[in-house]
Amino acid sequence: MKFFNHDGSCCSYTDLIQRLNNINSSSNIVLFNEPLKFFTQLLFNICNNIDSILFDNDMSESEKEFYEKDLILYDNLYSNKINDINDLLNLIYNSKSRICIFTSGTTGKPKKVNHSVSKFVEMSRVDDKYKNDIWSFLYNPTHMAGIQVFFQALLNQNFIIFLFKSTRKQFINSCNKYSVTSISATPTFFRLLAPFDFKLKSIKKCTLGGEKSDLNLNNNLKNIFPCTKLYNIYASTEAGTVFISTKGNLFKVMNSTIDKVKFIDNEIFLHKTLMYENYKEEWFPTGDIVEFTNESKTEFRFLSRNSDTVNIGGNRINLLEIESEIYKIKGVENVLVYTLENSVIGKVLVSKIVTSIKYSKKEFKLQLKEKLQSYKVPAIIKFVNEIEVTRTGKIKRN
Amino acid sequence: MEVNKLLEVLNEICDENNLELIKFKDIEDFKSLNLKNDIGFDSINLAQLTVLIEDECDVDIFEDGLIETVGEVFEKIK
């Protein structure tokens, strides 16, 4: 039974168990360098009730401070022998260890967030119907979404094809070669698959998370993955998955979380029971703003994050709205709208655009002026070859 | 930034905003052009100019106050 594939090198569940049985030292710091080594150490820690702190190998200076301060080495460990996959799963289900991850740091200094392994187990859906799933692993494994995919695949004993940071060509070739059935990634990742002139029929489940998607992208994905069911998930580092939608961008408060979610001025607040360990406040303000689509206020779609709205010249502007309109222009593959401090008018709207069709800036602005009020049309249009993304595969606005 | 490059930047803004393109006669005439009165720039166009010039020269031409003529732009970026 296959467990993991990276760069064509394959590891079975039997190989994994053998690797785990051969380990007798570890540390609480699990550094992402080589994917299989990373997951093996993480699993070893989980099986031995050792807490893990996950680090990227390109850690920032402030993360390095944590690294040096928190490192604990464990030598001469004599863990119980794992005989088979059932032994391994039992150890995971009964693990008391915790996984510490860092928030992306988009709001400032990176913050450590602890989640129990049992929380990841609870968030996974384990069932016979998932046992033949083959996953394309597209998230950063040191972050929430990556760990969730890992647990979902592992607990169902699935085959994982590690494709984080792969190119469009590698992704398409690997999905074809291994008949991948399940993928989960950020909308930014999926947008970078443009041009959408291929089809992957083996993919049955496609999940988008981490950023706001749009109908145009959803339609393109339905076209390239003709046999797939599309899911949008709302998740955060602090809470994990909270909402799942199968109806495009329309989300619904689930019965299981109805008393753990509230809305104040259309902003989502999550109860501490959904949050990471030791979260002190009663309610966590997510900064995510929604628009209700029914009178009973149980269904909604996401409008923006607080940080996605800016005030320019007294006009409140939602940057995602502008990006959404730009995406509708033919040939546009990727967009970033942001503001720059400006000595003349305070702030100026700037847009970076990747497009397969050559436009003059004038033509492009004219198209935008037909769709948006003039104050929402970016003063500066920059046609670029690519737009930088964060470690978690999202567009980097700041 | 050379004369031709600045002319190109100014005309790029003129073109985007349906303003009459600047015809270069001589350097003195070019330098004497008033950004608002002669070329027709509004504050948004001036903001565009600052961003485009900052991209090229890493200089914020309006940092110390408002600039009125092309010649004053030259003084800032030379």
Side-chain angles (χ1 to χ4, degrees):
Chain A
M1 194 164 48
K2 290 173 183 168
F3 161 59
F4 201 81
N5 183 298
H6 176 231
D7 278 350
S9 171
C10 200
C11 171
S12 68
Y13 277 90
T14 308
D15 296 335
L16 171 69
I17 290 166
Q18 199 174 354
R19 280 167 173 260
L20 291 169
N21 283 331
N22 287 338
I23 297 174
N24 59 12
S25 64
S26 185
S27 82
N28 62 333
I29 304 288
V30 185
L31 184 65
F32 172 54
N33 219 333
E34 198 278 307
L36 182 56
K37 204 174 159 191
F38 170 86
F39 285 122
T40 306
Q41 190 194 342
L42 176 61
L43 275 177
F44 180 85
N45 287 0
I46 290 171
C47 292
N48 289 281
N49 294 315
I50 296 170
D51 290 345
S52 297
I53 308 174
L54 309 188
F55 280 95
D56 286 298
N57 59 0
D58 61 342
M59 66 185 89
S60 64
E61 285 305 311
S62 46
E63 285 170 341
K64 268 183 194 160
E65 288 172 24
F66 286 116
Y67 183 97
E68 285 153 11
K69 188 162 57 77
D70 294 343
L71 177 67
I72 303 171
L73 296 171
Y74 299 89
D75 287 323
N76 301 317
L77 289 167
Y78 294 99
S79 51
N80 291 328
K81 187 167 184 262
I82 303 167
N83 291 309
D84 54 25
I85 183 72
N86 292 328
D87 269 2
L88 174 61
L89 293 179
N90 274 336
L91 286 168
I92 297 168
Y93 279 111
N94 294 309
S95 177
K96 300 279 182 270
S97 72
R98 297 177 304 167
I99 298 176
C100 174
I101 51 182
F102 289 86
T103 58
S104 303
T106 49
T107 50
K109 208 173 176 182
K111 183 176 68 180
K112 277 166 74 176
V113 169
N114 279 307
H115 290 287
S116 63
V117 166
S118 58
K119 178 162 183 171
F120 287 105
V121 170
E122 281 165 25
M123 283 192 286
S124 305
R125 283 153 293 142
V126 182
D127 194 286
D128 271 355
K129 67 182 176 185
Y130 302 123
K131 72 178 180 186
N132 294 321
D133 286 359
I134 298 171
W135 279 89
S136 168
F137 195 105
L138 298 162
Y139 286 118
N140 186 332
T142 64
H143 288 67
M144 174 56 93
I147 306 165
Q148 282 183 281
V149 168
F150 179 66
F151 273 88
Q152 175 66 28
L154 180 76
L155 297 180
N156 287 288
Q157 299 166 53
N158 297 152
F159 185 22
I160 299 168
I161 319 296
F162 191 84
L163 292 170
F164 175 57
K165 288 193 172 171
S166 63
T167 62
R168 174 182 183 271
K169 191 177 171 187
Q170 287 166 333
F171 169 77
I172 295 169
N173 288 347
S174 294
C175 287
N176 273 322
K177 184 174 177 184
Y178 299 105
S179 300
V180 166
T181 63
S182 309
I183 52 175
S184 180
T186 58
T188 295
F189 172 84
F190 289 117
R191 286 189 182 108
L192 294 175
L193 294 178
F196 300 106
D197 57 359
F198 61 95
K199 289 199 191 297
L200 294 172
K201 291 181 180 169
S202 65
I203 292 171
K204 302 287 184 288
K205 189 165 64 182
C206 170
T207 307
L208 296 90
E211 294 170 304
K212 188 173 177 285
S213 181
D214 63 83
L215 289 175
N216 194 27
L217 177 64
N218 287 1
N219 288 336
N220 281 327
L221 294 181
K222 281 178 191 164
N223 189 35
I224 58 172
F225 309 137
C227 306
T228 198
K229 192 163 185 178
L230 273 188
Y231 297 85
N232 277 281
I233 61 166
Y234 170 85
S236 69
T237 303
E238 291 86 354
T241 302
V242 184
F243 308 115
I244 300 175
S245 168
T246 53
K247 289 160 69 178
N249 293 328
L250 209 58
F251 288 82
K252 197 172 180 177
V253 180
M254 294 175 286
N255 286 337
S256 57
T257 55
I258 207 155
D259 54 347
K260 294 173 183 169
V261 176
K262 70 176 181 180
F263 301 88
I264 299 174
D265 294 333
N266 288 24
E267 179 181 351
I268 301 172
F269 281 69
L270 302 178
H271 192 253
K272 64 180 178 185
T273 49
L274 289 174
M275 298 295 292
Y276 58 90
E277 286 188 6
N278 303 326
Y279 181 72
K280 298 283 191 300
E281 305 296 322
E282 195 67 15
W283 291 92
F284 171 70
T286 62
D288 291 313
I289 310 296
V290 303
E291 169 188 58
F292 291 101
T293 56
N294 63 350
E295 281 189 13
S296 56
K297 294 193 170 182
T298 53
E299 287 192 344
F300 57 88
R301 63 170 65 97
F302 284 93
L303 283 184
S304 64
R305 300 209 73 176
N306 275 340
S307 56
D308 291 328
T309 56
V310 294
N311 191 318
I312 298 183
N315 295 308
R316 197 154 181 77
I317 296 174
N318 181 347
L319 302 176
L320 295 182
E321 180 199 354
I322 302 171
E323 287 177 1
S324 172
E325 288 301 332
I326 295 176
Y327 272 119
K328 290 177 188 167
I329 295 176
K330 199 174 172 188
V332 171
E333 293 173 359
N334 213 352
V335 178
L336 170 64
V337 177
Y338 59 103
T339 57
L340 269 184
E341 294 298 320
N342 187 273
S343 47
V344 182
I345 54 173
K347 276 185 185 146
V348 64
L349 269 181
V350 182
S351 178
K352 285 185 180 176
I353 296 155
V354 180
T355 171
S356 59
I357 296 175
K358 195 167 183 185
Y359 291 100
S360 72
K361 291 178 184 175
K362 186 179 181 180
E363 282 172 332
F364 204 86
K365 277 192 177 177
L366 273 176
Q367 291 207 46
L368 275 181
K369 280 175 184 165
E370 286 171 10
K371 299 159 180 276
L372 292 165
Q373 292 117 304
S374 58
Y375 66 87
K376 293 180 181 172
V377 175
I380 304 291
I381 301 275
K382 295 181 177 182
F383 293 116
V384 294
N385 292 327
E386 61 176 355
I387 293 172
E388 193 182 355
V389 295
T390 64
R391 277 181 193 171
T392 50
K394 299 175 193 174
I395 288 282
K396 194 173 188 171
R397 196 179 300 287
N398 300 313
Chain B
M1 184 185 269
E2 292 175 0
V3 175
N4 285 348
K5 185 65 192 170
L6 181 59
L7 181 65
E8 191 183 311
V9 168
L10 291 166
N11 274 337
E12 182 183 327
I13 299 169
C14 289
D15 183 45
E16 274 182 39
N17 296 282
N18 291 324
L19 297 169
E20 195 177 331
L21 296 185
I22 303 161
K23 292 185 186 73
F24 186 84
K25 293 174 194 160
D26 59 62
I27 186 71
E28 288 312 313
D29 174 71
F30 183 49
K31 282 185 176 178
S32 71
L33 288 174
N34 186 294
L35 295 168
K36 283 186 174 176
N37 301 336
D38 297 326
I39 302 177
F41 278 4
D42 60 16
S43 55
I44 301 285
N45 304 147
L46 293 174
Q48 285 178 284
L49 182 64
T50 57
V51 175
L52 294 176
I53 288 181
E54 204 165 342
D55 277 354
E56 289 287 331
C57 310
D58 208 21
V59 173
D60 179 357
I61 53 171
F62 287 91
E63 195 177 14
D64 305 323
L66 212 55
I67 279 180
E68 294 194 352
T69 65
V70 173
E72 288 167 12
V73 175
F74 260 122
E75 283 301 307
K76 286 282 178 186
I77 60 178
K78 73 179 183 185

